[in-house]
Amino acid sequence: PGCNTKVQLGAMFLALFGWVSSCVTTFVPLWKNLNLDLNELEIWTMGLWQVCIVQEEGATECKAHDSFLALPLELRVSRILMCLSNGLGLLGFLLASLGSDCWKICEEKPDLKKWLLLAGGAAFGTSGIMTLAPVSWVAYNTVLEFWDETIPNIVPRWEFGEAMFLGWFAGFFLAAGGLLLIYTTCLNRTETPDVPSAVCLQRPAMEGPAGISPWSHRSHPKTADLVI
């Protein structure tokens, strides 16, 4: 149906926007910001792959993290989960494209297209969860460190960067797109119920020797008493 096709397209565009945002979140060094009170002309930013210093003149100097094992646990896990999320999002887009009604591929196999669409929606949903989990974990640790009373007040504190908000939106869009795709597969099932064939509903035509149906003798049983 046309309505179902529009829902599929909307879900795929929603998930595609989330996947692109998730890829941007993975690689930009804007997960955390640090403002130095001693030098207000510089802003430090941190990502999963590098640390950058943004100066007031607009110059930016970045340095990659020295070692993966030297990173905090949440950043190491976030690297792995975000990369897996990006791969799952790409796989989900390919599966959902093959299973959508817009493509004429495998039209003679509707069950295969339904399972491809279902697998694409599940991949999108899993990708969204794998994006939300590391972003939320890093945000939680950032809040704990910001309000840690054991750290002197003169020590600068890391704060939320723009990439963390983008990551939350990306995970939400991926999960919403995946759920919509799964919903369209259930919609297809409810719109095409199993209707018994008309042949099965017909009364079998049985005729006697003279070509008269035996049902005719039972049509008016009470009229037999009126025959003289």
Side-chain angles (χ1 to χ4, degrees):
C3 180
N4 196 28
T5 304
K6 292 179 181 178
V7 175
Q8 291 178 5
L9 283 177
M12 290 182 62
F13 278 116
L14 196 66
L16 181 61
F17 177 76
W19 177 72
V20 173
S21 301
S22 178
C23 292
V24 174
T25 303
T26 304
F27 296 103
V28 295
L30 297 173
W31 282 57
K32 294 182 179 182
N33 293 334
L34 181 65
N35 294 323
L36 300 177
D37 295 334
L38 300 178
N39 188 359
E40 297 181 354
L41 301 180
E42 292 182 353
I43 299 177
W44 289 59
T45 62
M46 177 188 293
L48 299 179
W49 308 91
Q50 56 187 356
V51 178
C52 296
I53 303 175
V54 181
Q55 300 178 355
E56 189 179 17
E57 298 82 7
T60 303
E61 296 181 4
C62 296
K63 179 185 177 182
H65 294 299
D66 295 331
S67 174
F68 173 77
L69 298 178
L71 292 174
L73 177 61
E74 66 269 15
L75 294 184
R76 281 181 285 165
V77 176
S78 297
R79 270 195 190 184
I80 298 173
L81 289 180
M82 291 299 292
C83 291
L84 290 176
S85 173
N86 297 337
L88 268 179
L90 180 60
L91 178 62
F93 184 74
L94 295 176
L95 292 175
S97 299
L98 294 175
S100 66
D101 295 337
C102 301
W103 288 75
K104 304 302 180 182
I105 303 176
C106 299
E107 279 192 331
E108 66 280 359
K109 299 179 181 179
D111 290 338
L112 177 60
K113 288 181 71 69
K114 183 188 74 172
W115 284 110
L116 286 174
L117 195 63
L118 186 63
F124 277 138
T126 307
S127 176
I129 295 174
M130 296 179 72
T131 298
L132 291 172
V135 173
S136 301
W137 188 8
V138 174
Y140 175 74
N141 287 341
T142 303
V143 172
L144 289 182
E145 294 173 359
F146 186 86
W147 295 108
D148 191 356
E149 297 180 355
T150 60
I151 302 177
N153 293 331
I154 60 173
V155 177
R157 313 291 178 98
W158 288 101
E159 299 181 8
F160 291 169
E162 293 82 356
M164 300 191 68
F165 298 99
L166 183 62
W168 276 318
F169 281 110
F172 172 76
F173 287 138
L174 280 168
L179 289 176
L180 279 177
L181 287 177
I182 295 175
Y183 168 74
T184 56
T185 61
C186 300
L187 193 63
N188 278 336
R189 185 179 303 175
T190 56
E191 288 181 352
T192 57
D194 293 335
V195 180
S197 176
V199 179
C200 300
L201 299 178
Q202 292 178 354
R203 179 178 292 176
M206 299 174 58
E207 296 184 354
I212 302 175
S213 174
W215 301 105
S216 59
H217 297 287
R218 304 178 186 179
S219 57
H220 302 284
K222 294 183 179 181
T223 58
D225 300 332
L226 300 177
V227 179
I228 298 176

